Amino acid sequence: MLGVELLSLVVSLTPAEKLNRQIVRVLTSFFCGKLDDMATIKPALNGLATLTLLQSFSPVEAVVTIEAIFRHIKMKSIVQDQRFKVFSIIDSVMAFHRDVLKNMGKQFLDGYINLAEGEKDPRNLIVAFAIARVILIEFDISGHVESMFNILFCYFPITFRPPPNDRYGISTDDLRMALRNCLNATPAFGPLAIPVFLEKVSAGSRVTKKDTLQTMAVCLPVYGSALARVSARKLWNALKLEIFQPVDPETEQEALKTTQILVKTIYMDEEEALEHDEDIQGLARDACEECVHILKEPEKTQAKPAIKILCTFMTTTPSVARYTISQAVPHLVRLFLTPDEASTREPTLLLLSDLIAAARDSTKKSSLEDADPPLLPYKDEVLGVFIVGLKLITTRNAALSGLKVMATTKRLLSDEELGFIVHNVNEIIQADGEELYESIEAILEVLTIISDIAPRHVVEQTLPLLSSSLPDTAPARDDATGREKCWQTLTTLSKLCIQTELFEQLVIRLTTKLDLLCFPSSEQMLSVSADPEPTAAYAHMILKALAQALSTKVKGKHPDIAKYLDRLVPIIFNVFVSSAFLSEEQMIVAKEPRLVQVAAEIINFVVQSVPSEKQRFYSVELSKAIIDGNVSTIAEGFQKAAKSERFSIFDASTTSAKRNILALLSAAVISLHKEARLSLRDVSGFLEMLLRWVLDIADNDIQKLAALHIVSSILNRQVEDLSVFLNTKLDVYWNTEIVNDASPLPRRRWAIKTWIWITKALLVRKHPLAMKLTEQLYDAFDDEAIGWDAAKAIGQIPSPDTVLTKANHAEVKLIPLLLRGLDLPDAEIRSNIIDTFLAAAEGETPEKSLVAEHGVTLVNAMLKNCVSNDVSSTQVRISALRYLAVLPSIVRYDILHPHKATVLRELAKVLDDPKRAVRKQAVDARTNWFKYKG
Amino acid sequence: MSAPGHFIALFHSSQMPGEIFNPNPVVFSTSKSAARQSDLLAHSLWVTDSSQSEDEADDVEPIDQDEIYDLIRSIYDPEHPNTLEELRVVSAPQVTVGPNSVKVEFTPTVPHCGMSTLIGLCIRVRLLRSLPERFKVDIFVKPGSHQSENAVNKQLNDKERVAAALENPVLLDTVEQCLSNVGARGIV
């Protein structure tokens, strides 16, 4: 026995080229001779396994080996790893000498079936299934269909579950797929397989149902249309049950998919033969009738699965789709026009809308994409029904969703018909009233879709309608309704005018209105001067609407935003710069800081969307404005004042209104690319000047923050040129402005804010100094006057902001610092810090989580923060609960598992929080922890 | 006294494949909570970005009818892919809240509905997980809406039977399925 083992080992270690034919032949017959002895069977199999892989292993040896295996091996009396060798040997022979096995014919098939029967080990089965697939596809199995069927279908459905600490790396799915590849390897299995499938699908567990449905989906096309046709009734009855009474949504989906494949399998063959308008017979017809019958009660639950089936039919074959639509659409149209009860109209329209959406999607990504849409023959009736539905409040939203589908179906509606829809939608807008706002989102969606295809209708019909309802002068102070209406109209406009041409119109109309409001004619001047606030508030709304539309466009990365650097930004500058000048001599509307802030937002949106090439030209002009006070080129517009005069923002003698303009300039500066930075002779000097200006001259928060934003963004982009500033000037600043208790308190507070913005700039770049500057703040904690502000600063440094956007994960380095901050008594700081954690959680997964190592600390800190007490606030509790709710999705279960019970227990207390919003978050967080499992 | 097992048995009988108690109930459209009209402009001339103003006020907001209804409206019916709200099995007026007690009444879609116990159990589990412990929760079928009204009510309000039922993994799994979307609620 030792000899055989030694020999087998030697063979496995000998280089392949040393083992010639002669040697292989001798060795093969030697090892085969040892297969009949239980004591030597293991090394003999090992030896043979090595030999079968060799090139010098010839067909003669292949036959000898296989015959010896069939003769001597009793699978039931050997252990798993030996059986694995047997399968491996057969697998190798199958790979290199397949014809030899084919020539063995019945002898091989009988032998193999006998051998493979009853195998249970998943590792062996993976090999056995691979061998079986080759046999089924390539061998003549006509005499062995039933026995092959028996040794394969006995495993279906796979119920194997890998043990915990699975060492073999074979999953349930691996086995399922391998088996499935056998079950669908030959049409011969069809008649035997169908009854098995039917039984498993109806009696099985959820998992079995799903597996069976998926297996049917891959088998039915192989088994062929003839079998599908004769089994259609039985199959449909089983599938139907899974759709009308689904155990879960996933199974329902699988059943629908299998139904689709069944119908395709039945009708694909005859598709060619069918005439265009010929009726279809068989399953599709019967099932269609059944579903249409159910749709007679559109308000009942069963109507939904029925329409899902009809929708599925749309993606089978063209003739079935044609037939389905010809049955279902006229039926639903009739039902809408002559309902038993008015209340069934809404569900009818929703069903119709689902069906035509499926019709629309059925031709996507297929050769039919350029063909006429399937709905075309019924277009007029369907459009008519939706237009009627639009007029009634109860069916309006359903009608709008149908119209949306029609408008998005290619080549369905003519330009004229799209105009007709716009016209009818406009009538609702015009009628106004309370109920308009129930449908406004859906209305906007339809108009937006149409404005993408045919903007003319919306530009010519809807825009004038909406903008004409905006008054030229502001609603009076006591006219709250008028103000409300203005804002609603502006909101509608800002949502509607996103498409290129519409936005262009919006900018023209709103900037004209803005100019009129900010520079009233002499007749109006008197009344506006008497009470300017309503006018300022109205101008503010207009700016807000522009900012909202731009924000949507920025999110959609619209390329047309850039051109508004020439069309919108100068006008905004013009209005505000002129106002700043004129404010010295007369009452002015646009000097109100709130207006300046929205104007800054607008400028920021546009400039950030301008490519750096174009920004470079702009930044030259911007530099002139900032350094020399020459605004003539960046502020071109209706008003002359901005062009002729010069102003020096940083001069101590300038007015506050003029200083406010820095907010607009800053909004442009912070969105410049690195290559398009300001042209400054002495960058460090400029920053020092700004820091002084913040503390000595600037007289309100807007100005100060504008300056700090400029400092921060310059530092962020040009840090390498500023080492002197960072290494020496900052130390001086710290000593003279922050820790110097002779300095007045407000001044020291602004010095800390400055510190925050400098540190932020470095942190985003992961500059090593960021940590040092943050740590330095801890030194100021003991200071009686500013300790509090220094503590707050810790929370603010890593929190997201709109200046240094593209927040990256730089914060992560700060985790230990932030965790310390969570113990601070101030609720606002804690809330800030938790929000920072929440922002960092986006994109985290249990597999790749940067907070995992602090998971336990975080759980405890959050639990402490979600309790209602004197040092807590609603906001901090909500934030802490939101973070607790997120943790299960970003930290592996094994890390937090020991704390699950504690979290659930502690959260149970929070369910009694005095605030509703907190309780809601607590319920959600607790639900997530209940679901948190390994 | 029937053993807790009776609860499970009753549930199991309703799990027989293919047996459906109400195959085709009516689905009602649900009320999206009406978009609150911004009343900002009535108080102030200015539009603002957020309305986080009164959050920090000291007033206590007690748990009320709407809040409890909001917790249970999105529970799925065990037989249909619809919510209890859509099938009008539950509604806000059927919830009564006292200082330390909650009463929930629900209406089975058909009087012989074998799913009633399960529906009630789902409501109980949801409230068990979402309400403070001080609340005593009573769950009843609407009087006259079910053949075995008393039996169902008894099972739903017997602590031991409920606890025993929830130890049955198959039953718990079904309950979890019904609760899979409860976070949706009505007000988004």
Side-chain angles (χ1 to χ4, degrees):
Chain A
M1 182 201 123
L2 214 61
V4 184
E5 203 170 312
L6 187 66
L7 184 59
S8 144
L9 193 68
V10 169
V11 170
S12 74
L13 295 173
T14 310
E17 65 273 13
K18 294 272 165 68
L19 297 165
N20 63 27
R21 258 166 203 277
Q22 193 58 40
I23 299 171
V24 168
R25 178 156 302 172
V26 173
L27 286 170
T28 304
S29 88
F30 174 76
F31 284 132
C32 285
K34 300 291 169 194
L35 287 176
D36 60 348
D37 183 350
M38 281 307 274
T40 53
I41 195 164
K42 185 178 173 187
L45 284 170
N46 285 342
L48 285 168
T50 311
L51 292 175
T52 47
L53 295 170
L54 299 174
Q55 254 193 333
S56 41
F57 186 85
S58 77
V60 180
E61 282 86 57
V63 175
V64 169
T65 305
I66 296 293
E67 282 179 347
I69 285 178
F70 287 168
R71 192 171 331 116
H72 300 304
I73 302 278
K74 300 277 170 293
M75 290 295 255
K76 293 202 173 58
S77 42
I78 57 176
V79 293
Q80 183 272 329
D81 65 328
Q82 293 171 14
R83 298 201 305 275
F84 183 77
K85 284 290 172 201
V86 173
F87 282 115
S88 305
I89 292 166
I90 297 174
D91 191 42
S92 305
V93 176
M94 186 64 93
F96 301 122
H97 306 282
R98 195 167 298 175
D99 288 336
V100 173
L101 299 181
K102 281 186 192 168
N103 289 335
M104 287 174 76
K106 185 169 165 357
Q107 187 200 356
F108 172 70
L109 291 174
D110 284 340
Y112 180 75
I113 289 166
N114 180 38
L115 201 80
E117 197 178 359
E119 180 56 56
K120 285 206 171 64
D121 190 276
R123 289 162 291 183
N124 297 358
L125 283 174
I126 287 283
V127 187
F129 290 158
I131 297 170
R133 181 166 166 86
V134 179
I135 295 176
L136 291 167
I137 291 176
E138 295 196 17
F139 286 53
D140 173 15
I141 55 155
S142 46
H144 293 78
V145 173
E146 202 163 328
S147 38
M148 282 306 282
F149 176 88
N150 288 337
I151 64 160
L152 289 167
F153 272 77
C154 61
Y155 298 108
F156 181 81
I158 296 282
T159 50
F160 162 78
R161 278 187 132 186
N165 316 319
D166 176 24
R167 278 172 301 153
Y168 324 125
I170 293 173
S171 69
T172 314
D173 266 344
D174 294 338
L175 276 176
R176 259 187 209 139
M177 293 308 149
L179 178 60
R180 234 174 250 175
N181 282 334
C182 295
L183 306 191
N184 76 352
T186 169
F189 279 166
L192 298 164
I194 299 285
V196 178
F197 291 152
L198 289 173
E199 184 214 319
K200 300 291 177 196
V201 91
S202 62
S205 68
R206 223 172 253 155
V207 180
T208 302
K209 275 184 200 293
K210 189 176 147 196
D211 186 12
T212 310
L213 289 165
Q214 285 175 343
T215 307
M216 282 163 86
V218 294
C219 289
L220 287 174
V222 176
Y223 296 170
S225 61
L227 181 69
R229 214 166 288 135
V230 297
S231 327
R233 223 339 105 185
K234 283 185 195 151
L235 287 166
W236 165 239
N237 284 340
L239 290 169
K240 196 163 66 173
L241 206 65
E242 303 309 318
I243 300 169
F244 282 103
Q245 288 144 33
V247 286
D248 57 36
E250 212 186 342
T251 312
E252 182 196 21
Q253 267 313 315
E254 295 295 346
L256 283 165
K257 220 183 285 169
T258 310
T259 307
Q260 179 206 25
I261 285 168
L262 172 64
V263 171
K264 255 191 187 169
T265 308
I266 296 176
Y267 292 92
M268 216 41 134
D269 289 352
E270 55 187 61
E271 191 62 37
E272 308 280 294
L274 271 177
E275 284 300 312
H276 185 80
D277 47 1
E278 202 174 329
D279 256 10
I280 56 155
Q281 302 297 330
L283 177 68
R285 188 192 180 95
D286 299 346
C288 206
E289 272 172 16
E290 230 171 292
C291 290
V292 168
H293 182 77
I294 292 167
L295 290 182
K296 285 190 173 139
E297 294 179 314
E299 75 284 11
K300 299 285 188 77
T301 47
Q302 300 290 280
K304 241 189 193 156
I307 206 78
K308 280 186 190 164
I309 291 167
L310 294 177
C311 288
T312 303
F313 282 6
M314 296 309 302
T315 54
T316 51
T317 73
S319 62
V320 171
R322 240 179 353 251
Y323 179 77
T324 307
I325 240 184
S326 76
Q327 297 302 299
V329 168
H331 170 75
L332 289 168
V333 167
R334 215 165 29 242
L335 210 57
F336 178 83
L337 296 174
T338 53
D340 291 338
E341 275 179 70
S343 64
T344 62
R345 286 188 138 168
E346 193 209 1
T348 307
L349 288 189
L350 288 172
L351 296 171
L352 184 56
S353 172
D354 282 351
L355 184 67
I356 65 173
R360 173 195 62 194
D361 300 340
S362 68
T363 57
K364 272 186 191 160
K365 289 187 205 134
S366 77
S367 54
L368 300 165
E369 204 163 4
D370 296 323
D372 281 346
L375 187 63
L376 197 62
Y378 310 94
K379 169 174 85 165
D380 294 344
E381 296 98 296
V382 174
L383 183 59
V385 157
F386 286 135
I387 294 291
V388 174
L390 199 57
K391 318 254 180 205
L392 307 167
I393 294 165
T394 48
T395 52
R396 185 167 292 161
N397 283 340
L400 283 162
S401 71
L403 289 171
K404 203 171 80 188
V405 175
M406 292 194 84
T408 45
T409 306
K410 283 192 186 143
R411 280 177 301 280
L412 179 65
L413 297 178
S414 67
D415 186 64
E416 204 184 358
E417 284 157 338
L418 289 168
F420 178 64
I421 295 177
V422 173
H423 173 79
N424 279 283
V425 170
N426 283 350
E427 279 186 356
I428 308 176
I429 297 177
Q430 226 161 357
D432 205 358
E434 279 289 291
E435 40 332 313
L436 171 62
Y437 292 95
E438 293 277 308
S439 312
I440 193 73
E441 295 299 325
I443 287 176
L444 284 171
E445 258 185 90
V446 170
L447 290 177
T448 304
I449 285 164
I450 295 181
S451 65
D452 278 337
I453 316 162
R456 187 172 64 88
H457 300 295
V458 182
V459 170
E460 288 174 8
Q461 295 184 56
T462 317
L463 274 197
L465 182 75
L466 284 168
S467 32
S468 69
S469 73
L470 288 174
D472 284 340
T473 53
R477 183 172 281 274
D478 54 5
D479 181 10
T481 328
R483 208 158 31 244
E484 178 90 41
K485 216 180 151 282
C486 282
W487 179 233
Q488 271 161 355
T489 307
L490 282 165
T491 311
T492 308
L493 278 169
S494 72
K495 287 180 183 161
L496 179 62
C497 299
I498 303 304
Q499 184 268 349
T500 313
E501 284 165 85
L502 270 75
F503 183 71
E504 195 175 326
Q505 286 296 318
L506 181 77
V507 168
I508 294 171
R509 284 165 194 266
L510 293 191
T511 50
T512 313
K513 199 140 280 191
L514 180 70
D515 199 72
L516 276 174
L517 289 169
C518 292
F519 307 102
S521 61
S522 39
E523 307 90 83
Q524 284 161 358
M525 198 53 167
L526 210 63
S527 63
V528 175
S529 301
D531 187 6
E533 202 188 349
T535 307
Y538 186 27
H540 178 252
M541 281 182 199
I542 288 177
L543 287 165
K544 211 78 194 151
L546 277 171
Q548 277 176 1
L550 270 168
S551 155
T552 311
K553 287 178 76 70
V554 167
K555 277 186 206 120
K557 298 195 166 71
H558 290 198
D560 64 312
I561 309 175
K563 75 180 181 203
Y564 292 94
L565 185 65
D566 307 320
R567 299 193 188 182
L568 177 59
V569 173
I571 299 180
I572 299 284
F573 267 115
N574 184 274
V575 166
F576 285 88
V577 172
S578 303
S579 298
F581 278 112
L582 294 170
S583 67
E584 286 162 40
E585 38 206 82
Q586 65 185 69
M587 185 290 308
I588 218 71
V589 171
K591 66 173 191 200
E592 162 69 49
R594 280 178 275 202
L595 270 66
V596 177
Q597 272 172 320
V598 190
E601 248 178 79
I602 292 175
I603 291 171
N604 181 254
F605 281 138
V606 176
V607 180
Q608 64 168 268
S609 311
V610 173
S612 69
E613 196 56 20
K614 197 174 168 192
Q615 271 194 352
R616 234 186 279 183
F617 292 103
Y618 189 69
S619 110
V620 174
E621 304 304 322
L622 202 57
S623 308
K624 279 189 210 159
I626 292 173
I627 298 155
D628 314 326
N630 177 1
V631 290
S632 56
T633 40
I634 65 162
E636 267 184 85
F638 305 111
Q639 305 298 323
K640 302 278 172 292
K643 288 181 208 161
S644 45
E645 315 236 6
R646 288 167 83 87
F647 73 134
S648 13
I649 286 188
F650 304 113
D651 205 85
S653 63
T654 204
T655 63
S656 178
K658 282 184 187 163
R659 278 199 282 270
N660 284 348
I661 300 299
L662 190 66
L664 305 189
L665 295 166
S666 171
V669 173
I670 61 172
S671 21
L672 292 178
H673 289 270
K674 196 180 173 193
E675 314 76 73
R677 57 177 176 253
L678 294 178
S679 7
L680 301 165
R681 269 175 302 269
D682 172 11
V683 185
S684 174
F686 181 67
L687 296 191
E688 284 172 58
M689 183 278 288
L690 284 174
L691 296 192
R692 273 195 312 275
W693 186 79
V694 168
L695 298 181
D696 297 335
I697 300 174
D699 61 306
N700 66 25
D701 290 8
I702 292 184
Q703 296 165 12
K704 292 177 195 208
L705 282 174
L708 293 182
H709 291 169
I710 295 179
V711 170
S712 193
S713 69
I714 289 181
L715 201 52
N716 177 256
R717 291 166 183 65
Q718 291 172 255
V719 70
E720 44 296 305
D721 312 334
L722 290 162
S723 54
V724 178
F725 173 83
L726 288 173
N727 293 324
T728 59
K729 306 284 178 188
L730 279 186
D731 272 345
V732 177
Y733 193 84
W734 177 263
N735 291 326
T736 55
E737 302 294 351
I738 295 181
V739 292
N740 173 11
D741 44 10
S743 180
L745 188 56
R747 186 179 173 97
R748 294 177 75 192
R749 287 203 171 125
W750 272 104
I752 288 185
K753 288 212 174 103
T754 307
W755 202 261
I756 294 176
W757 280 102
I758 288 172
T759 314
K760 265 177 178 291
L762 300 172
L763 182 65
V764 172
R765 293 195 47 142
K766 302 184 183 167
H767 194 283
L769 215 54
M771 288 301 284
K772 184 180 160 264
L773 298 187
T774 314
E775 291 272 11
Q776 214 164 337
L777 285 167
Y778 276 90
D779 299 343
F781 274 25
D782 299 331
D783 189 302
E784 239 173 73
I786 53 150
W788 203 242
D789 298 271
K792 277 191 184 176
I794 304 277
Q796 284 161 358
I797 287 170
S799 69
D801 61 77
T802 51
V803 178
L804 302 160
T805 34
K806 283 199 192 141
N808 53 40
H809 284 302
E811 304 97 348
V812 172
K813 275 206 259 169
L814 279 176
I815 286 180
L817 267 181
L818 288 173
L819 287 171
R820 270 162 75 188
L822 282 174
D823 288 329
L824 293 171
D826 185 83
E828 194 191 324
I829 302 176
R830 284 178 281 132
S831 177
N832 259 335
I833 293 177
I834 299 172
D835 287 344
T836 305
F837 276 116
L838 273 166
E842 267 171 52
E844 294 256 287
T845 59
E847 292 73 38
K848 195 181 132 291
S849 166
L850 294 160
V851 295
E853 57 174 311
H854 304 285
V856 178
T857 319
L858 281 165
V859 165
N860 290 327
M862 297 304 149
L863 284 177
K864 235 189 279 171
N865 274 295
C866 63
V867 182
S868 167
N869 55 31
D870 350 323
V871 292
S872 147
S873 74
T874 309
Q875 203 42 55
V876 80
R877 290 185 332 258
I878 289 178
S879 296
L881 288 166
R882 279 180 55 206
Y883 197 67
L884 272 176
V886 166
L887 275 173
S889 60
I890 62 170
V891 177
R892 277 201 333 266
Y893 181 68
D894 55 307
I895 299 176
L896 296 183
H897 154 253
H899 303 271
K900 181 170 170 175
T902 317
V903 172
L904 289 175
R905 198 172 52 240
E906 291 302 310
L907 285 179
K909 297 177 194 158
V910 188
L911 296 174
D912 216 357
D913 194 278
K915 292 290 177 190
R916 188 163 296 129
V918 177
R919 294 196 294 268
K920 185 171 193 277
Q921 294 296 339
V923 169
D924 290 349
R926 207 159 181 256
T927 307
N928 290 358
W929 279 81
F930 266 116
K931 286 188 199 154
Y932 196 18
K933 293 196 172 113
Chain B
M1 265 314 282
S2 57
H6 179 54
F7 196 154
I8 300 166
L10 198 122
F11 164 74
H12 271 279
S13 74
S14 64
Q15 259 273 300
M16 292 306 285
E19 189 184 352
I20 291 290
F21 293 95
N22 184 0
N24 203 8
V26 176
V27 183
F28 299 89
S29 55
T30 58
S31 68
K32 303 256 168 4
S33 69
R36 255 167 288 139
Q37 296 275 324
S38 82
D39 55 354
L40 286 165
L41 300 179
H43 305 308
S44 158
L45 299 176
W46 300 84
V47 286
T48 50
D49 288 323
S50 65
S51 52
Q52 282 182 346
S53 47
E54 290 136 52
D55 270 5
E56 299 300 338
D58 277 339
D59 49 330
V60 172
E61 299 160 351
I63 294 177
D64 63 9
Q65 189 182 59
D66 283 337
E67 185 171 338
I68 291 182
Y69 175 56
D70 210 31
L71 289 170
I72 58 174
R73 67 204 291 178
S74 303
I75 297 175
Y76 282 124
D77 181 276
E79 279 185 349
H80 305 283
N82 299 93
T83 63
L84 298 188
E85 179 185 24
E86 285 173 329
L87 299 177
R88 301 256 168 108
V89 172
V90 293
S91 66
Q94 288 177 291
V95 178
T96 330
V97 188
N100 283 310
S101 65
V102 171
K103 226 186 249 180
V104 179
E105 179 191 278
F106 66 101
T107 321
T109 52
V110 283
H112 58 280
C113 183
M115 288 290 163
S116 298
T117 340
L118 182 56
I119 293 174
L121 187 64
C122 290
I123 297 176
R124 178 162 294 284
V125 171
R126 174 64 171 160
L127 294 182
L128 207 62
R129 290 175 180 181
S130 318
L131 285 181
E133 281 171 38
R134 65 185 166 88
F135 279 98
K136 179 179 184 299
V137 179
D138 289 317
I139 298 173
F140 296 103
V141 294
K142 185 182 173 171
S145 70
H146 199 274
Q147 285 172 349
S148 348
E149 197 177 315
N150 285 339
V152 174
N153 289 344
K154 211 169 184 179
Q155 282 168 13
L156 287 176
N157 296 297
D158 183 326
K159 251 189 180 171
E160 280 175 30
R161 293 194 209 178
V162 169
L166 292 178
E167 270 170 31
N168 177 331
V170 183
L171 183 44
L172 188 63
D173 180 50
T174 312
V175 171
E176 297 287 6
Q177 286 278 328
C178 292
L179 296 182
S180 59
N181 193 39
V182 279
R185 313 193 185 182
I187 299 148
V188 187

